[in-house]
C-alpha cells in the first residue's frame, strides 16, 4: 500500500513538473506555436520517463509530427498514413491507442503501425488524443524496448494531454493575436509612409528631385533595403533621378532603353532572390557581386498604362523580399 501511495505521489509530482514545463514553453515561445509543440513533447517524455515523445496533428493531407528525442534536438517529420496507422486512428477516433510491442502486433487493423515500429525501432508506445482548438492533435511516447506502461501512467498521460491541449489553444490564440498585431503595424507603417510622401509633395510643389529622394528613402526604410535608385524615362533614354546608399550609377546617369534585356526595364514588379545566380551571364553576375546587389526588387511606374520609370531596391545579402513587402511596394 505504501508503495502504491509513493508511486501515485511520484506520478502527481511528475505531472505537475511536466505541466510547469509546458507553461514555461508557452511563456518563452513568444507566439511560436512550433516551440510550444516541441515543449509539450519534451515534457511528455519527462512525464513518462521515456527518451522520445512527439506531438502530431493534421497539416493538410499529411500528419505533421513534432519529435523530441534523446539528444533533445527537435525534429519535424511529415507522415502520410492510412486507417491502420495509430496516428490516424487517434486523430480520427479521438481515442487512446497503446502498444505493449509495436513490432509484434498481429492485428491487421494495425498493419502500418507494425511497419512503423520496425522502421523506427519502436517497441512499447502510447498514443493519446489532445483536445485543442484548430486541427486535431495527439501526443505519443515511445520506448525502444518492450516495457509496457502501467495503466495509471496512461491515465496520467491522458490528463497531461488535456492540459497540453489548453496550452496549444492559448498558444494559437497568442499566435493569431501576434499576427494581427504585425499586420496592423505593417498597415500603420505603410499609411505613415504614404502620409509622409503626400506631405513631402505638398511642401515641395514642382521640386521633383526632393520628392523622388524622399520617396526612395521611405521605400528603402519601409522594406529594409540597403540601397536603391529611381529611374525615369526621357524619350529613348532612362535617367537616374535619385539614389540612396551605394548605387551602381549616380544621379544624372543616363542609359539607353534595353527592354527585355533584364537590365533596365521591367513592365511588372519583379523580385530576385539572388541576382548573382539568376543570370546566365557571368560578366553580369560579377557586376552584381561588385555592386553589392544580391536580393533585389524592381517596381515599375506607369501613367495611363505607359511605362515612365521604375524604382530599384537592393540588399547586400541574400534576403528575398516577401509577398507582403511586394504588396506594400506596389
Amino acid at each position: 500500500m505504501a508503495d502504491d501511495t509513493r508511486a501515485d505521489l511520484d506520478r502527481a509530482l511528475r505531472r505537475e513538473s511536466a505541466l510547469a514545463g509546458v507553461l514555461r514553453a508557452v511563456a518563452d515561445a513568444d507566439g511560436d506555436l512550433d516551440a510550444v509543440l516541441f515543449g509539450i513533447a519534451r515534457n511528455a517524455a519527462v512525464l513518462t520517463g521515456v527518451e522520445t515523445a512527439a506531438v502530431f496533428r493534421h497539416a493538410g493531407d499529411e500528419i505533421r509530427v513534432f519529435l523530441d528525442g534523446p539528444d533533445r534536438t527537435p525534429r519535424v517529420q511529415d507522415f502520410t498514413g492510412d486507417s491502420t496507422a495509430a496516428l490516424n486512428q487517434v486523430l480520427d477516433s479521438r481515442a487512446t491507442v497503446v502498444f505493449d510491442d509495436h513490432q509484434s502486433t498481429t492485428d491487421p487493423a494495425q498493419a502500418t503501425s507494425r511497419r512503423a515500429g520496425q522502421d523506427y525501432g519502436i517497441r512499447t508506445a502510447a498514443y493519446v488524443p489532445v483536445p485543442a482548438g484548430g486541427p486535431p492533435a495527439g501526443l505519443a511516447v515511445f520506448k525502444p524496448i518492450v516495457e509496457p506502461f502501467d495503466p495509471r501512467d496512461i491515465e496520467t498521460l491522458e490528463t497531461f494531454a488535456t492540459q497540453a491541449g489548453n496550452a496549444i489553444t492559448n498558444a494559437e490564440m497568442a499566435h493569431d493575436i501576434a499576427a494581427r498585431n504585425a499586420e496592423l503595424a505593417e498597415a500603420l507603417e505603410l499609411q505613415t509612409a504614404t502620409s509622409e510622401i503626400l506631405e513631402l509633395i505638398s511642401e515641395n510643389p514642382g521640386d521633383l528631385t526632393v520628392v523622388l529622394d524622399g520617396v526612395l528613402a521611405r521605400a528603402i526604410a519601409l522594406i529594409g533595403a540597403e540601397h536603391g535608385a529611381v529611374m525615369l524615362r526621357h524619350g529613348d533614354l532612362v535617367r537616374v533621378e535619385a539614389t540612396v546608399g551605394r548605387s551602381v550609377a549616380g544621379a544624372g546617369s543616363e542609359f539607353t532603353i534595353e527592354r527585355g534585356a533584364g537590365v533596365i526595364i521591367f513592365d511588372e514588379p519583379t523580385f530576385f532572390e539572388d541576382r548573382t545566380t539568376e543570370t546566365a551571364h557571368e560578366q553580369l553576375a560579377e557586376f552584381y557581386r561588385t555592386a553589392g546587389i544580391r536580393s533585389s526588387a524592381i517596381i515599375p511606374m506607369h501613367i495611363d498604362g505607359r511605362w515612365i520609370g521604375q524604382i530599384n531596391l537592393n540588399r547586400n545579402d541574400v534576403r528575398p523580399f516577401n509577398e507582403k513587402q511586394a504588396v506594400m511596394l506596389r
Side-chain angles (χ1 to χ4, degrees), residues 139-251:
L139 181 61
V141 290
F142 310 108
K143 294 182 180 181
I145 60 174
V146 178
E147 187 180 64
F149 290 104
D150 187 292
R152 287 173 295 182
D153 288 329
I154 301 301
E155 292 176 4
T156 300
L157 184 62
E158 290 173 332
T159 300
F160 173 76
T162 299
Q163 296 165 331
N166 294 332
I168 292 174
T169 300
N170 291 337
E172 287 178 327
M173 291 176 59
H175 176 78
D176 290 343
I177 291 172
R180 285 197 295 271
N181 287 342
E183 289 176 358
L184 288 172
E186 289 172 355
L188 179 60
E189 190 177 11
L190 178 59
Q191 185 177 12
T192 300
T194 303
S195 177
E196 289 174 347
I197 289 171
L198 292 175
E199 183 178 351
L200 184 68
I201 293 171
S202 67
E203 291 177 350
N204 300 275
D207 193 337
L208 186 60
T209 299
V210 172
V211 171
L212 291 180
D213 283 343
V215 169
L216 182 58
R218 283 158 180 76
I220 283 179
L222 192 62
I223 64 167
E226 275 81 40
H227 46 93
V230 177
M231 300 178 178
L232 293 183
R233 181 172 188 167
H234 297 270
D236 293 330
L237 298 176
V238 174
R239 181 185 301 156
V240 178
E241 302 288 351
T243 64
V244 169
R246 181 175 56 190
S247 177
V248 297

